[in-house]
Amino acid sequence: MSQAEIQKVIASFTSIEQVLKHFDIEFDSKFINEYRVPLMKRINGNLLLAKPDDWFSARRALRNAYCKIQRGRLDPHSRSACRGCTTCIRR
């Protein structure tokens, strides 16, 4: 799957929930409803910077965007983990 194909697939979806389901990323619908705009900006930015060339690199970019928004909500002095990326899941 090339970068152009990945972008076509993502552009064909009408909501962020469809994108996350396609890439097998678990999400909280209440979180998505509350942070939809910053999440979309972060996802688009990550996809532009990462230039994913396969399904796995696109999934990694999406998960990192989701995780970054979730970690931004957490207390910076605690060691609590978000549920958005493998590094946070492994803590």
Coordinates of all heavy atoms in Angstrom, one line a residue:
M1 N 0.8 -1.2 0.0 CA 0.0 0.0 0.0 C 0.9 1.2 0.0 O 1.7 1.4 0.9 CB -0.9 0.0 1.2 CG -2.0 0.9 1.2 SD -3.1 0.6 2.7 CE -4.6 0.6 1.9
S2 N 0.8 2.1 -1.0 CA 1.6 3.2 -1.1 C 1.0 4.4 -0.3 O -0.1 4.3 0.2 CB 1.7 3.6 -2.6 OG 0.5 4.2 -3.1
Q3 N 1.8 5.5 -0.2 CA 1.3 6.6 0.5 C 0.1 7.2 -0.1 O -0.9 7.6 0.6 CB 2.4 7.7 0.6 CG 2.1 8.9 1.4 CD 3.2 9.9 1.4 OE1 4.3 9.7 0.9 NE2 3.0 11.0 2.0
A4 N 0.0 7.3 -1.4 CA -1.2 7.8 -2.1 C -2.4 7.0 -1.8 O -3.5 7.5 -1.6 CB -0.9 7.9 -3.6
E5 N -2.2 5.6 -1.8 CA -3.3 4.8 -1.5 C -3.9 4.9 -0.1 O -5.1 4.9 0.2 CB -3.0 3.3 -1.8 CG -2.7 3.0 -3.2 CD -2.1 1.6 -3.4 OE1 -1.8 0.9 -2.4 OE2 -2.0 1.1 -4.5
I6 N -2.9 5.1 0.8 CA -3.3 5.3 2.2 C -4.1 6.6 2.4 O -5.1 6.6 3.1 CB -2.1 5.3 3.1 CG1 -1.5 3.9 3.2 CG2 -2.4 5.8 4.5 CD1 -0.1 3.8 3.9
Q7 N -3.6 7.6 1.7 CA -4.4 8.9 1.8 C -5.7 8.8 1.2 O -6.7 9.4 1.6 CB -3.5 10.0 1.2 CG -2.3 10.4 2.0 CD -1.5 11.5 1.5 OE1 -1.7 11.9 0.3 NE2 -0.6 12.0 2.3
K8 N -5.9 8.1 0.1 CA -7.2 7.9 -0.5 C -8.1 7.1 0.4 O -9.3 7.5 0.5 CB -7.0 7.1 -1.8 CG -6.5 7.9 -3.0 CD -6.4 7.1 -4.2 CE -5.7 7.8 -5.3 NZ -5.5 6.9 -6.5
V9 N -7.6 6.1 1.1 CA -8.4 5.3 2.0 C -8.9 6.2 3.1 O -10.1 6.2 3.5 CB -7.7 4.1 2.5 CG1 -8.4 3.5 3.7 CG2 -7.5 3.1 1.4
I10 N -8.0 7.0 3.7 CA -8.4 7.9 4.8 C -9.3 8.9 4.4 O -10.3 9.3 5.1 CB -7.1 8.5 5.5 CG1 -6.3 7.3 6.2 CG2 -7.4 9.6 6.5 CD1 -5.0 7.8 6.7
A11 N -9.1 9.5 3.2 CA -10.0 10.5 2.7 C -11.4 10.0 2.4 O -12.4 10.7 2.4 CB -9.4 11.1 1.4
S12 N -11.5 8.7 2.1 CA -12.8 8.1 1.8 C -13.8 8.0 3.0 O -15.0 7.9 2.8 CB -12.7 6.7 1.1 OG -12.2 5.8 2.1
F13 N -13.2 8.0 4.2 CA -14.0 7.9 5.4 C -14.6 9.3 5.7 O -14.1 10.3 5.4 CB -13.2 7.5 6.6 CG -12.6 6.1 6.4 CD1 -11.2 5.8 6.5 CD2 -13.4 5.0 6.2 CE1 -10.7 4.6 6.3 CE2 -12.9 3.7 6.1 CZ -11.6 3.5 6.1
T14 N -15.8 9.2 6.4 CA -16.5 10.4 6.7 C -16.4 10.9 8.1 O -16.7 12.0 8.5 CB -18.0 10.3 6.4 OG1 -18.5 9.2 7.1 CG2 -18.3 10.0 4.9
S15 N -15.8 10.0 9.0 CA -15.6 10.4 10.4 C -14.3 9.8 10.9 O -13.8 8.8 10.4 CB -16.8 9.9 11.2 OG -16.8 8.5 11.3
I16 N -13.8 10.4 12.0 CA -12.6 9.9 12.6 C -12.8 8.5 13.2 O -11.9 7.7 13.2 CB -12.1 10.9 13.7 CG1 -10.8 10.5 14.2 CG2 -13.1 11.0 14.8 CD1 -9.7 10.6 13.2
E17 N -14.0 8.2 13.6 CA -14.3 6.8 14.1 C -14.1 5.8 13.1 O -13.5 4.7 13.4 CB -15.7 6.8 14.7 CG -15.9 7.6 15.9 CD -16.4 9.0 15.7 OE1 -16.3 9.5 14.5 OE2 -16.8 9.7 16.6
Q18 N -14.4 6.0 11.9 CA -14.2 5.1 10.8 C -12.8 4.8 10.5 O -12.3 3.7 10.3 CB -14.9 5.5 9.5 CG -16.4 5.5 9.6 CD -17.1 6.1 8.4 OE1 -16.5 6.9 7.6 NE2 -18.3 5.7 8.1
V19 N -12.0 5.9 10.6 CA -10.5 5.8 10.3 C -9.9 4.9 11.4 O -9.1 4.0 11.2 CB -9.9 7.2 10.3 CG1 -8.4 7.0 10.2 CG2 -10.4 8.0 9.1
L20 N -10.3 5.2 12.7 CA -9.7 4.4 13.8 C -10.1 3.0 13.8 O -9.3 2.1 14.1 CB -10.1 5.1 15.1 CG -9.6 6.5 15.4 CD1 -10.1 7.1 16.6 CD2 -8.0 6.5 15.4
K21 N -11.4 2.7 13.4 CA -11.8 1.3 13.3 C -11.1 0.6 12.1 O -10.7 -0.6 12.3 CB -13.3 1.3 13.0 CG -14.1 1.5 14.2 CD -15.6 1.5 13.9 CE -16.5 1.9 15.1 NZ -17.9 1.9 14.8
H22 N -10.9 1.3 11.0 CA -10.2 0.7 9.9 C -8.7 0.2 10.3 O -8.2 -0.8 9.9 CB -10.1 1.6 8.7 CG -9.3 1.1 7.5 ND1 -9.8 0.1 6.7 CD2 -8.1 1.4 7.1 CE1 -8.9 -0.2 5.8 NE2 -7.9 0.6 6.0
F23 N -8.1 1.1 11.1 CA -6.7 0.8 11.5 C -6.6 0.0 12.9 O -5.6 0.0 13.5 CB -5.9 2.1 11.6 CG -5.6 2.6 10.2 CD1 -6.3 3.6 9.6 CD2 -4.5 2.1 9.5 CE1 -6.0 4.1 8.4 CE2 -4.2 2.5 8.2 CZ -4.9 3.5 7.7
D24 N -7.8 -0.5 13.3 CA -7.8 -1.3 14.5 C -7.3 -0.6 15.8 O -6.5 -1.2 16.5 CB -7.1 -2.7 14.4 CG -7.7 -3.6 13.4 OD1 -9.0 -3.5 13.2 OD2 -7.0 -4.4 12.7
I25 N -7.7 0.6 15.9 CA -7.3 1.4 17.1 C -8.5 1.6 18.0 O -9.5 2.1 17.6 CB -6.7 2.8 16.6 CG1 -5.5 2.6 15.7 CG2 -6.4 3.7 17.9 CD1 -5.0 3.9 15.1
E26 N -8.3 1.2 19.2 CA -9.4 1.3 20.2 C -9.5 2.8 20.6 O -8.5 3.5 20.7 CB -9.1 0.5 21.4 CG -9.1 -1.0 21.1 CD -8.8 -1.8 22.4 OE1 -8.9 -1.3 23.5 OE2 -8.4 -3.0 22.2
F27 N -10.8 3.2 20.8 CA -11.0 4.6 21.2 C -12.2 4.7 22.1 O -13.0 3.8 22.1 CB -11.1 5.5 19.9 CG -12.3 5.1 19.1 CD1 -13.5 5.7 19.3 CD2 -12.2 4.2 18.1 CE1 -14.6 5.4 18.5 CE2 -13.3 3.8 17.3 CZ -14.5 4.4 17.5
D28 N -12.2 5.8 22.8 CA -13.4 6.2 23.6 C -14.2 7.2 22.9 O -13.7 8.3 22.6 CB -12.8 6.7 25.0 CG -13.9 7.1 25.9 OD1 -15.1 6.6 25.7 OD2 -13.6 7.8 26.9
S29 N -15.5 6.9 22.6 CA -16.3 7.8 21.9 C -16.5 9.2 22.6 O -16.6 10.2 21.9 CB -17.6 7.2 21.5 OG -18.3 6.8 22.7
K30 N -16.5 9.2 23.9 CA -16.7 10.4 24.6 C -15.4 11.3 24.5 O -15.5 12.5 24.3 CB -16.9 10.1 26.1 CG -17.4 11.3 26.9 CD -18.0 11.0 28.3 CE -17.3 9.9 29.0 NZ -17.7 9.8 30.4
F31 N -14.3 10.7 24.5 CA -13.0 11.4 24.2 C -13.0 11.9 22.8 O -12.6 13.1 22.6 CB -11.8 10.4 24.4 CG -10.5 11.0 24.0 CD1 -9.9 11.9 24.9 CD2 -9.9 10.7 22.8 CE1 -8.7 12.5 24.5 CE2 -8.7 11.3 22.5 CZ -8.1 12.1 23.3
I32 N -13.4 11.2 21.8 CA -13.4 11.6 20.4 C -14.4 12.8 20.3 O -14.0 13.8 19.6 CB -13.9 10.5 19.5 CG1 -12.9 9.4 19.5 CG2 -14.1 11.0 18.1 CD1 -11.6 9.6 18.9
N33 N -15.6 12.8 20.9 CA -16.5 13.9 20.8 C -16.0 15.1 21.4 O -16.2 16.2 20.9 CB -17.8 13.5 21.4 CG -18.6 12.4 20.7 OD1 -18.4 12.3 19.5 ND2 -19.4 11.7 21.3
E34 N -15.2 15.0 22.5 CA -14.7 16.2 23.2 C -13.5 16.8 22.5 O -13.3 18.0 22.5 CB -14.3 15.8 24.6 CG -14.0 17.0 25.5 CD -13.7 16.6 26.9 OE1 -14.2 15.5 27.3 OE2 -13.1 17.4 27.7
Y35 N -12.6 15.9 21.9 CA -11.4 16.4 21.3 C -11.3 16.2 19.8 O -10.2 15.9 19.3 CB -10.2 15.7 22.1 CG -10.1 16.2 23.5 CD1 -10.6 15.4 24.5 CD2 -9.4 17.3 23.8 CE1 -10.5 15.8 25.8 CE2 -9.3 17.7 25.1 CZ -9.8 17.0 26.1 OH -9.7 17.4 27.4
R36 N -12.4 16.2 19.1 CA -12.4 15.9 17.7 C -11.5 16.8 16.9 O -10.7 16.3 16.1 CB -13.8 16.0 17.2 CG -14.0 15.5 15.7 CD -15.4 15.5 15.3 NE -16.2 14.6 16.2 CZ -16.4 13.3 16.0 NH1 -15.8 12.8 14.9 NH2 -17.1 12.6 16.8
V37 N -11.6 18.1 17.1 CA -10.8 19.0 16.3 C -9.3 18.9 16.5 O -8.5 18.8 15.6 CB -11.3 20.5 16.5 CG1 -10.4 21.5 15.8 CG2 -12.8 20.6 16.0
P38 N -8.9 19.0 17.8 CA -7.4 18.8 18.0 C -6.9 17.5 17.5 O -5.8 17.4 17.0 CB -7.2 19.0 19.5 CG -8.5 19.4 20.1 CD -9.5 19.2 19.0
L39 N -7.7 16.4 17.7 CA -7.3 15.1 17.2 C -7.1 15.0 15.7 O -6.2 14.5 15.2 CB -8.3 14.1 17.7 CG -7.9 12.6 17.5 CD1 -6.6 12.2 18.1 CD2 -9.0 11.7 18.0
M40 N -8.1 15.7 15.0 CA -8.0 15.7 13.5 C -6.7 16.5 13.1 O -6.0 16.0 12.2 CB -9.2 16.3 12.9 CG -10.4 15.4 13.0 SD -10.2 13.9 12.1 CE -9.8 14.4 10.5
K41 N -6.5 17.6 13.7 CA -5.3 18.3 13.4 C -4.0 17.5 13.6 O -3.1 17.5 12.8 CB -5.2 19.6 14.2 CG -6.2 20.7 13.8 CD -6.1 21.9 14.6 CE -7.2 22.9 14.3 NZ -7.1 24.1 15.1
R42 N -4.0 16.9 14.8 CA -2.8 16.1 15.1 C -2.6 14.9 14.2 O -1.5 14.6 13.7 CB -2.9 15.6 16.6 CG -1.8 14.7 17.1 CD -0.5 15.4 17.2 NE -0.6 16.4 18.2 CZ 0.5 17.1 18.6 NH1 1.7 16.9 18.1 NH2 0.3 18.1 19.5
I43 N -3.7 14.2 13.8 CA -3.7 13.1 12.9 C -3.2 13.5 11.5 O -2.3 12.9 10.9 CB -5.0 12.4 12.8 CG1 -5.3 11.6 14.0 CG2 -5.1 11.5 11.5 CD1 -6.7 10.9 14.1
N44 N -3.7 14.6 11.0 CA -3.3 15.1 9.7 C -1.8 15.5 9.7 O -1.1 15.3 8.8 CB -4.2 16.3 9.3 CG -5.6 15.8 8.9 OD1 -5.8 14.7 8.5 ND2 -6.5 16.7 9.0
G45 N -1.4 16.1 10.8 CA 0.0 16.5 10.9 C 0.9 15.3 11.0 O 2.0 15.3 10.3
N46 N 0.5 14.3 11.8 CA 1.4 13.1 11.9 C 1.4 12.4 10.5 O 2.5 11.9 10.2 CB 0.8 12.2 12.9 CG 1.2 12.5 14.3 OD1 1.8 13.6 14.5 ND2 1.0 11.7 15.3
L47 N 0.3 12.3 9.8 CA 0.4 11.7 8.5 C 1.2 12.5 7.5 O 1.9 11.9 6.7 CB -1.0 11.5 7.9 CG -1.9 10.5 8.7 CD1 -3.3 10.5 8.2 CD2 -1.3 9.1 8.6
L48 N 1.2 13.8 7.6 CA 2.1 14.6 6.7 C 3.6 14.4 7.1 O 4.4 14.3 6.2 CB 1.7 16.1 6.8 CG 0.5 16.5 6.1 CD1 0.2 18.0 6.4 CD2 0.6 16.3 4.6
L49 N 3.9 14.4 8.3 CA 5.3 14.2 8.8 C 5.8 12.8 8.6 O 7.0 12.6 8.1 CB 5.4 14.6 10.2 CG 5.2 16.1 10.5 CD1 5.2 16.3 12.0 CD2 6.3 16.9 9.9
A50 N 5.0 11.8 8.9 CA 5.5 10.4 8.8 C 5.6 9.9 7.4 O 6.4 9.0 7.1 CB 4.6 9.5 9.6
K51 N 4.7 10.4 6.5 CA 4.6 9.9 5.1 C 4.6 8.4 5.1 O 5.5 7.7 4.6 CB 5.8 10.4 4.3 CG 5.8 11.9 4.1 CD 7.0 12.3 3.3 CE 7.1 13.8 3.1 NZ 6.6 14.7 4.0
P52 N 3.5 7.8 5.7 CA 3.4 6.4 5.8 C 3.4 5.7 4.5 O 2.7 6.1 3.5 CB 2.1 6.1 6.6 CG 1.3 7.3 6.4 CD 2.3 8.5 6.2
D53 N 4.1 4.6 4.4 CA 4.2 3.8 3.1 C 3.5 2.5 3.2 O 3.4 1.8 2.2 CB 5.6 3.7 2.6 CG 6.5 3.0 3.7 OD1 6.0 2.8 4.8 OD2 7.6 2.7 3.4
D54 N 3.0 2.1 4.4 CA 2.2 0.9 4.5 C 1.2 1.0 5.6 O 1.2 2.0 6.3 CB 3.1 -0.3 4.7 CG 3.9 -0.2 6.0 OD1 3.9 0.8 6.7 OD2 4.6 -1.2 6.3
W55 N 0.4 0.0 5.8 CA -0.7 0.0 6.7 C -0.2 0.2 8.2 O -0.7 1.0 8.9 CB -1.5 -1.3 6.6 CG -2.7 -1.3 7.5 CD1 -4.0 -0.9 7.1 CD2 -2.9 -1.8 8.8 NE1 -4.9 -1.1 8.1 CE2 -4.2 -1.7 9.2 CE3 -2.0 -2.4 9.7 CZ2 -4.7 -2.1 10.4 CZ3 -2.4 -2.8 10.9 CH2 -3.8 -2.6 11.3
F56 N 0.9 -0.4 8.5 CA 1.5 -0.4 9.8 C 2.0 1.0 10.2 O 1.9 1.5 11.3 CB 2.5 -1.5 10.0 CG 2.0 -2.9 9.8 CD1 2.2 -3.6 8.7 CD2 1.3 -3.4 10.8 CE1 1.7 -4.8 8.5 CE2 0.7 -4.7 10.7 CZ 1.0 -5.4 9.5
S57 N 2.7 1.6 9.3 CA 3.2 3.0 9.6 C 2.1 4.0 9.7 O 2.2 4.9 10.5 CB 4.3 3.4 8.5 OG 3.7 3.4 7.2
A58 N 1.0 3.8 8.9 CA -0.1 4.7 9.0 C -0.8 4.5 10.4 O -1.2 5.4 11.0 CB -1.1 4.4 7.9
R59 N -0.9 3.2 10.8 CA -1.5 2.9 12.1 C -0.7 3.5 13.2 O -1.2 4.1 14.2 CB -1.6 1.4 12.3 CG -2.3 1.0 13.6 CD -2.5 -0.5 13.6 NE -3.3 -0.9 14.7 CZ -2.8 -1.4 15.8 NH1 -1.5 -1.6 16.0 NH2 -3.6 -1.7 16.8
R60 N 0.6 3.4 13.1 CA 1.5 4.0 14.1 C 1.4 5.5 14.2 O 1.3 6.1 15.3 CB 3.0 3.7 13.8 CG 4.0 4.0 14.8 CD 5.4 3.6 14.5 NE 5.5 2.3 13.9 CZ 5.8 2.0 12.7 NH1 6.2 3.0 11.9 NH2 5.9 0.8 12.2
A61 N 1.3 6.2 13.1 CA 1.1 7.7 13.1 C -0.3 8.0 13.7 O -0.3 9.0 14.5 CB 1.1 8.2 11.6
L62 N -1.3 7.3 13.4 CA -2.6 7.5 14.0 C -2.6 7.3 15.5 O -3.2 8.1 16.3 CB -3.7 6.7 13.3 CG -4.0 7.0 11.9 CD1 -4.9 5.9 11.3 CD2 -4.6 8.4 11.7
R63 N -2.0 6.2 15.9 CA -2.0 5.9 17.4 C -1.2 6.9 18.1 O -1.5 7.3 19.2 CB -1.4 4.5 17.6 CG -2.3 3.4 17.2 CD -1.8 2.1 17.5 NE -1.8 1.9 19.0 CZ -1.8 0.8 19.6 NH1 -1.7 -0.3 18.9 NH2 -1.8 0.7 20.9
N64 N -0.1 7.4 17.5 CA 0.8 8.4 18.2 C 0.0 9.7 18.3 O 0.1 10.4 19.3 CB 2.0 8.6 17.4 CG 3.0 7.5 17.6 OD1 2.9 6.7 18.5 ND2 3.9 7.4 16.6
A65 N -0.8 10.0 17.3 CA -1.6 11.3 17.4 C -2.7 11.1 18.5 O -2.9 12.0 19.4 CB -2.3 11.5 16.1
Y66 N -3.3 10.0 18.6 CA -4.4 9.7 19.6 C -3.7 9.8 21.0 O -4.2 10.4 21.9 CB -5.0 8.4 19.4 CG -6.2 8.1 20.3 CD1 -7.4 8.6 20.0 CD2 -6.0 7.3 21.4 CE1 -8.5 8.3 20.8 CE2 -7.1 7.0 22.2 CZ -8.4 7.5 21.9 OH -9.4 7.2 22.7
C67 N -2.6 9.2 21.1 CA -1.9 9.1 22.4 C -1.4 10.5 22.8 O -1.5 10.9 24.0 CB -0.7 8.2 22.3 SG 0.3 8.1 23.8
K68 N -0.9 11.3 21.9 CA -0.4 12.6 22.2 C -1.5 13.5 22.8 O -1.3 14.2 23.8 CB 0.2 13.3 21.0 CG 0.7 14.7 21.2 CD 2.0 14.6 21.9 CE 2.6 16.0 22.0 NZ 3.8 16.1 22.7
I69 N -2.7 13.4 22.3 CA -3.8 14.2 22.8 C -4.2 13.7 24.1 O -4.5 14.5 25.1 CB -5.0 14.2 21.8 CG1 -4.7 14.7 20.4 CG2 -6.2 14.9 22.4 CD1 -4.3 16.2 20.4
Q70 N -4.3 12.4 24.3 CA -4.6 11.8 25.6 C -3.6 12.2 26.7 O -3.9 12.5 27.8 CB -4.7 10.3 25.6 CG -6.1 9.8 25.2 CD -6.3 8.4 25.5 OE1 -5.4 7.6 25.8 NE2 -7.6 8.0 25.6
R71 N -2.3 12.1 26.4 CA -1.3 12.4 27.3 C -1.3 13.9 27.7 O -0.9 14.3 28.8 CB 0.1 12.1 26.8 CG 0.4 10.6 27.0 CD 1.8 10.3 26.5 NE 1.9 10.5 25.1 CZ 3.0 10.8 24.4 NH1 4.1 10.9 25.0 NH2 2.9 10.9 23.1
G72 N -1.7 14.8 26.8 CA -1.9 16.2 27.1 C -2.9 16.5 28.2 O -2.9 17.5 28.8
R73 N -3.9 15.6 28.3 CA -4.9 15.7 29.3 C -4.5 15.3 30.7 O -5.1 15.7 31.7 CB -6.1 14.9 28.9 CG -6.8 15.3 27.7 CD -8.0 14.5 27.3 NE -8.7 14.1 28.5 CZ -9.4 13.0 28.7 NH1 -9.2 12.0 27.8 NH2 -10.1 12.7 29.8
L74 N -3.4 14.4 30.8 CA -3.0 13.8 32.0 C -2.2 14.8 32.9 O -1.6 15.7 32.4 CB -2.2 12.6 31.8 CG -2.9 11.4 31.1 CD1 -2.0 10.3 30.7 CD2 -4.1 10.9 31.9
D75 N -2.2 14.5 34.2 CA -1.3 15.3 35.1 C 0.1 15.0 34.7 O 0.6 13.9 34.8 CB -1.6 14.9 36.5 CG -0.8 15.7 37.5 OD1 -0.3 16.8 37.2 OD2 -0.6 15.2 38.7
P76 N 1.0 16.0 34.5 CA 2.3 15.8 34.1 C 3.2 15.2 35.2 O 4.3 14.7 34.9 CB 2.9 17.2 33.6 CG 2.0 18.1 34.2 CD 0.6 17.5 34.4
H77 N 2.8 15.3 36.4 CA 3.6 14.9 37.5 C 3.2 13.4 38.0 O 3.9 12.9 38.8 CB 3.4 15.8 38.7 CG 3.8 17.2 38.4 ND1 5.1 17.6 38.1 CD2 3.0 18.3 38.3 CE1 5.1 18.9 37.8 NE2 3.9 19.4 37.9
S78 N 2.2 12.9 37.3 CA 1.9 11.5 37.7 C 2.4 10.5 36.6 O 2.8 10.9 35.5 CB 0.4 11.3 37.7 OG -0.2 11.4 36.5
R79 N 2.5 9.3 36.9 CA 2.9 8.3 35.9 C 1.8 7.5 35.3 O 1.9 6.4 34.9 CB 3.9 7.3 36.6 CG 5.1 8.0 37.2 CD 6.4 7.4 36.8 NE 6.5 6.2 36.1 CZ 7.2 6.0 35.0 NH1 7.8 7.1 34.5 NH2 7.3 4.9 34.4
S80 N 0.6 8.2 35.3 CA -0.6 7.5 34.7 C -0.4 7.4 33.2 O 0.3 8.2 32.6 CB -1.8 8.3 35.0 OG -1.7 9.6 34.6
A81 N -0.9 6.3 32.6 CA -0.7 6.0 31.2 C -2.0 6.2 30.5 O -3.1 5.9 31.0 CB -0.2 4.6 31.1
C82 N -1.9 6.6 29.2 CA -3.1 6.7 28.4 C -3.3 5.3 27.8 O -2.5 4.4 28.0 CB -2.9 7.7 27.3 SG -1.7 7.3 26.0
R83 N -4.3 5.2 26.9 CA -4.6 3.9 26.3 C -4.4 4.0 24.8 O -4.9 3.2 24.0 CB -6.0 3.5 26.6 CG -6.2 3.1 28.0 CD -7.7 2.9 28.3 NE -8.3 4.3 28.3 CZ -9.6 4.5 28.0 NH1 -10.3 3.5 27.7 NH2 -10.1 5.7 28.0
G84 N -3.5 4.9 24.3 CA -3.4 5.2 22.9 C -2.2 4.5 22.2 O -2.3 4.4 21.0
C85 N -1.2 4.2 22.9 CA 0.0 3.6 22.2 C 0.6 2.5 23.0 O 0.4 2.4 24.1 CB 1.0 4.7 21.9 SG 1.9 5.3 23.3
T86 N 1.4 1.8 22.3 CA 2.0 0.6 22.9 C 3.0 1.0 24.0 O 3.1 0.2 25.0 CB 2.8 -0.3 21.9 OG1 3.7 0.5 21.2 CG2 1.8 -0.9 20.9
T87 N 3.7 2.1 23.9 CA 4.6 2.5 25.0 C 3.8 2.8 26.3 O 4.3 2.5 27.4 CB 5.5 3.7 24.6 OG1 4.6 4.7 24.2 CG2 6.4 3.3 23.4
C88 N 2.7 3.4 26.2 CA 1.9 3.7 27.4 C 1.2 2.4 27.9 O 1.1 2.3 29.1 CB 0.8 4.7 27.0 SG 1.5 6.3 26.7
I89 N 0.8 1.5 27.0 CA 0.2 0.3 27.5 C 1.2 -0.6 28.3 O 0.9 -1.2 29.3 CB -0.3 -0.5 26.3 CG1 -1.5 0.2 25.7 CG2 -0.7 -1.9 26.7 CD1 -2.0 -0.4 24.4
R90 N 2.5 -0.5 27.9 CA 3.5 -1.3 28.5 C 4.0 -0.8 29.9 O 4.7 -1.5 30.6 CB 4.7 -1.5 27.6 CG 4.4 -2.3 26.4 CD 5.6 -2.4 25.5 NE 5.2 -3.1 24.3 CZ 5.8 -3.0 23.1 NH1 6.9 -2.3 23.0 NH2 5.4 -3.7 22.1
R91 N 3.7 0.4 30.2 CA 4.2 1.0 31.5 C 3.6 0.2 32.7 O 2.5 -0.2 32.8 CB 3.7 2.4 31.6 CG 4.7 3.3 31.0 CD 4.4 4.7 31.4 NE 4.7 5.6 30.3 CZ 4.4 6.9 30.3 NH1 3.6 7.4 31.2 NH2 4.7 7.6 29.3

